[in-house]
Amino acid sequence: MEGRDKNKPFFLMCHFKAPHRPWTPAERFKDLLKDVTIPEPENLLDTYEGKGQYAQLLRMSMENFRPSDVKTDLPTNLSRDEFRHWAYQIYIKDYLRCIAGIDENVGRILKYLDDNGLTDNTVIIYTGDQGFFLGEHGWFDKRLMYEECLRMPFVIRYPKEIKPGTENKDITLNIDFAPLFLDYAGVSKPGQMQGESFRSNLEGKTPGNWRQAMYYRYWMNADNDHNVTANYGIRTDRYKLVFYYGESLGMTGTKNVSITPEWELFDLGNDPMEMKNIYNDPANKALIKELKTKLLELKRQYDDEDSKYPVMTEIAKKYYW
């Protein structure tokens, strides 16, 4: 930044990989939180009643940690729950120590802007490439449609347009990031971009036609490290419907195995921690039909229909309606 042409606008992207597995913090933070007991997620000991086969197949539970993840040999004399209590403290502390390094360096950037009188005329954004399980449901990593990994951090500061301290609850997606950046730069969005700028949303002026539901898809069926079942779904402001279709479809990084398709439905209003699958409750029949119809609309909108895969056509006939 010191070497930039000070007569021109600048654009800086700063990428941190610090909180990636195996969560190795900088030496200066190795003792941070050493004598602190971090509160556990309420559902750390989830036993997955009512959840699909995927929950038993995946390798993202605390008990799937490697010695490199916890920086020591794994104990063999603990029950599942005892192991989770033990592993969680190691995991979360190393994760937060890695985050401390990010916080420190973000602070250096913000201080530079302050010291050089650039803060009020600079759009500052802090975000990530996905959310992450931090012990919720006893899991780490991401790949599923649960809130912890579906939701992405997005913090923005631009005093000229955005009132400090405001919170926007509109459904915005990572495909909206590039259109937003282009909007601030005064550049039109290319036609191939599927997202929309949410600049006016951030000013408190949500367009009347803004999306009321989002589409999600995870392709890497039965990947080697995590063995996650391929899935797609829809989330509205209150409900989440997920279809674990369990086919590899020739995608890179997958294993060519088939898993019996299953559905999950969560009421985020009454069950924000997503502990109770209500898909099989007859009372939700009309809701499920509505969500499935909208899900198909979104698949068409984003050109992600599965008609070119014969196996998916057969799955749809048998499991969709």
Side-chain angles (χ1 to χ4, degrees), residues 113-264:
L113 296 176
D114 288 343
D115 292 346
N116 288 271
L118 296 168
T119 300
D120 289 344
N121 195 38
T122 301
V123 180
I124 304 168
I125 296 170
Y126 179 92
T127 187
D129 60 346
Q130 78 272 312
F132 211 75
F133 287 116
L134 296 175
E136 296 87 2
H137 304 280
W139 293 332
F140 64 95
D141 208 73
K142 57 264 183 184
R143 304 168 200 274
L144 298 174
M145 204 177 166
Y146 284 80
E147 289 294 279
E148 290 81 13
C149 46
L150 180 69
R151 297 171 68 94
M152 300 166 64
F154 190 93
V155 182
I156 181 169
R157 182 171 76 181
Y158 189 36
K160 285 186 174 182
E161 292 189 10
I162 304 171
K163 183 180 178 181
T166 57
E167 180 181 4
N168 183 274
K169 294 184 178 296
D170 297 329
I171 297 178
T172 52
L173 310 177
N174 53 359
I175 58 173
D176 300 325
F177 291 179
L180 175 70
F181 302 161
L182 292 172
D183 193 350
Y184 281 127
V187 179
S188 299
K189 182 190 78 168
Q192 70 266 32
M193 287 188 177
Q194 295 176 320
E196 301 292 340
S197 170
F198 51 105
R199 184 174 182 174
S200 62
N201 305 60
L202 296 173
E203 296 178 58
K205 296 176 286 189
T206 300
N209 62 346
W210 193 256
R211 72 172 66 87
Q212 300 300 306
M214 65 159 287
Y215 175 63
Y216 171 89
R217 186 162 195 166
Y218 177 75
W219 290 89
M220 200 178 291
N221 189 58
D223 64 293
N224 284 327
D225 285 336
H226 306 92
N227 204 36
V228 175
T229 300
N231 62 92
Y232 64 73
I234 181 174
R235 185 198 189 282
T236 67
D237 62 338
R238 177 167 178 175
Y239 296 103
K240 182 183 299 179
L241 181 70
V242 190
F243 186 41
Y244 296 88
Y245 61 90
E247 291 290 338
S248 298
L249 306 180
M251 295 297 164
T252 301
T254 65
K255 285 201 294 287
N256 189 24
V257 298
S258 296
I259 300 162
T260 302
E262 298 173 289
W263 288 93
E264 282 188 327

